[in-house]
């Protein structure tokens, strides 16, 4: 993004360090590859699933202590970590994604306990919260395994689909109605989109088509600005819908230049 707009990542060191490494080699014989970018992205994902798990464990403790305010804060904390890695959750961890973040007909995961937690009915949530913690722990273990590597095609698929979803569905603001965090969900989603693009795709795309790379960067910045409002009712939904869809189309157009297949939308 432009120097005038700071990336919304609390894990700035991860992204900045990776980009600095790229800057040091870009003028030499070694070339940045998508595989290298995918490896650079993994620490970001590991950090954020760690935040999701930590928040869920605090939620678990708060439920056992019948501390409603602490439980509500912990749910939001955990959710932030999860939403920042949503470009990868369904694409690489489909079964766990369904167990952790199915919506709207949720019998498991975040949304299975959301209404009760934010209604102060913690006694109804114990078993479901325990299950959420267990699934997040399993997700973290699978992600952190040395053998696990992100496939660039899967990353492009995930970031493109999420860009479209932010504009097409999430701009309506209904995903976390009881917690009232739908706006935060979108903000964290954009953080996650930006991380994938900056670390994995932008360095490679810039070499082949600097104009397109800049257009995607600018569109991410536009989407970020649109979701950075104080309350959901201030969100310009038509503008976000348009910008999210345009971002997805730009990601699709970058695919052949990256040697990848254009992701399908609406699946």
């Amino acid at each position: 993004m432009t120097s005038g707009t700071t990336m919304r990542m609390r894990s700035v060191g991860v992204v900045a360090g990776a980009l600095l490494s790229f800057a040091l080699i870009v003028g030499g014989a070694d070339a940045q590859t998508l595989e290298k970018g995918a490896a650079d992205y993994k620490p970001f994902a590991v950090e954020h699933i760690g935040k999701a798990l930590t928040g869920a464990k605090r939620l678990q403790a708060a439920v056992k202590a019948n501390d409603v305010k602490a439980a509500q804060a912990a749910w939001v904390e955990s959710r932030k970590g999860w939403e920042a890695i949503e470009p990868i959750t369904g694409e690489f961890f489909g079964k766990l994604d369904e167990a952790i973040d199915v919506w709207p007909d949720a019998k498991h995961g975040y949304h299975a306990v959301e209404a009760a937690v934010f209604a102060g009915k913690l006694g109804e949530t114990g078993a479901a919260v325990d299950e959420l913690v267990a699934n997040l722990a399993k997700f973290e273990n699978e992600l952190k395994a040395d053998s696990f590597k992100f496939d660039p095609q899967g990353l492009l698929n995930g970031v493109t689909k999420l860009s479209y979803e932010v504009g097409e569905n999430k701009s309506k603001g209904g995903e976390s109605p009881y917690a009232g965090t739908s706006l935060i969900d979108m903000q964290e989603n954009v953080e996650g989109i930006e991380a994938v693009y900056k670390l994995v795709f932008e360095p490679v795309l810039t070499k082949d088509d600097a104009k397109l790379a800049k257009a995607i960067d600018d569109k991410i910045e536009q989407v970020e600005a649109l979701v950075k409002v104080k309350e959901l009712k201030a969100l310009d939904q038509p503008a976000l819908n348009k910008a999210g869809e345009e971002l997805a189309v730009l990601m699709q157009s970058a695919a052949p230049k990256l040697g990848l297949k254009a992701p399908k939308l609406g699946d």
Side-chain angles (χ1 to χ4, degrees):
M1 300 183 70
T2 61
S3 59
T5 302
T6 304
M7 289 178 65
R8 290 186 55 262
M9 301 178 187
R10 287 168 295 280
S11 54
V12 166
V14 173
V15 176
L19 292 177
L20 177 59
S21 297
F22 169 68
L24 292 173
I25 67 170
V26 72
D30 293 331
Q32 177 80 350
T33 65
L34 295 180
E35 289 73 19
K36 171 67 166 56
D40 289 340
Y41 169 74
K42 186 173 178 178
F44 176 92
V46 168
E47 177 184 350
H48 285 77
I49 192 59
K51 290 180 178 180
L53 179 57
T54 296
K57 287 180 177 178
R58 288 176 180 167
L59 171 60
Q60 186 179 48
V63 167
K64 291 178 180 178
N66 198 33
D67 188 333
V68 173
K69 288 186 177 180
Q72 292 172 349
W75 190 96
V76 174
E77 175 191 355
S78 178
R79 184 82 176 156
K80 285 182 176 180
W82 176 261
E83 290 295 298
I85 58 168
E86 201 166 22
I88 68 163
T89 56
E91 196 69 28
F92 291 92
F93 302 92
K95 290 184 178 180
L96 282 171
D97 181 56
E98 289 181 4
I100 292 168
D101 195 29
V102 65
W103 180 84
D105 299 320
K107 296 182 179 179
H108 306 276
Y110 285 110
H111 299 300
V113 303
E114 179 190 355
V117 167
F118 287 89
K121 300 177 180 179
L122 301 187
E124 302 175 5
T125 66
V129 169
D130 290 346
E131 182 184 46
L132 174 62
V133 170
N135 283 328
L136 286 169
K138 184 176 181 181
F139 191 111
E140 183 185 54
N141 287 338
E142 291 185 12
L143 174 64
K144 290 174 71 175
D146 291 339
S147 60
F148 179 83
K149 295 181 180 180
F150 285 111
D151 169 58
Q153 182 68 60
L155 288 171
L156 185 63
N157 293 347
V159 78
T160 303
K161 291 175 183 177
L162 183 58
S163 298
Y164 184 80
E165 183 182 341
V166 167
E168 185 70 12
N169 298 320
K170 293 194 175 187
S171 64
K172 298 175 183 177
E175 186 170 351
S176 302
Y178 302 104
T181 60
S182 295
L183 186 59
I184 295 174
D185 291 347
M186 288 185 283
Q187 292 168 350
E188 297 296 330
N189 284 166
V190 177
E191 176 181 328
I193 289 167
E194 186 173 42
V196 173
Y197 178 66
K198 286 285 189 182
L199 291 172
V200 184
F201 300 117
E202 186 179 48
V204 177
L205 184 59
T206 297
K207 283 190 167 186
D208 188 82
D209 191 334
K211 184 177 180 180
L212 177 57
K214 179 65 163 55
I216 294 174
D217 195 36
D218 289 346
K219 189 60 62 175
I220 292 173
E221 185 172 339
Q222 181 187 0
V223 173
E224 181 181 51
L226 286 166
V227 300
K228 196 179 291 185
V229 292
K230 292 183 179 180
E231 53 187 350
L232 192 60
K233 66 181 181 180
L235 183 69
D236 187 339
Q237 293 183 12
L240 180 57
N241 184 297
K242 183 173 183 290
E245 291 182 0
E246 289 173 344
L247 177 56
V249 171
L250 285 170
M251 292 287 189
Q252 286 179 315
S253 68
K257 298 179 182 296
L258 295 166
L260 301 173
K261 296 178 181 179
K264 296 180 179 179
L265 299 176
D267 291 343

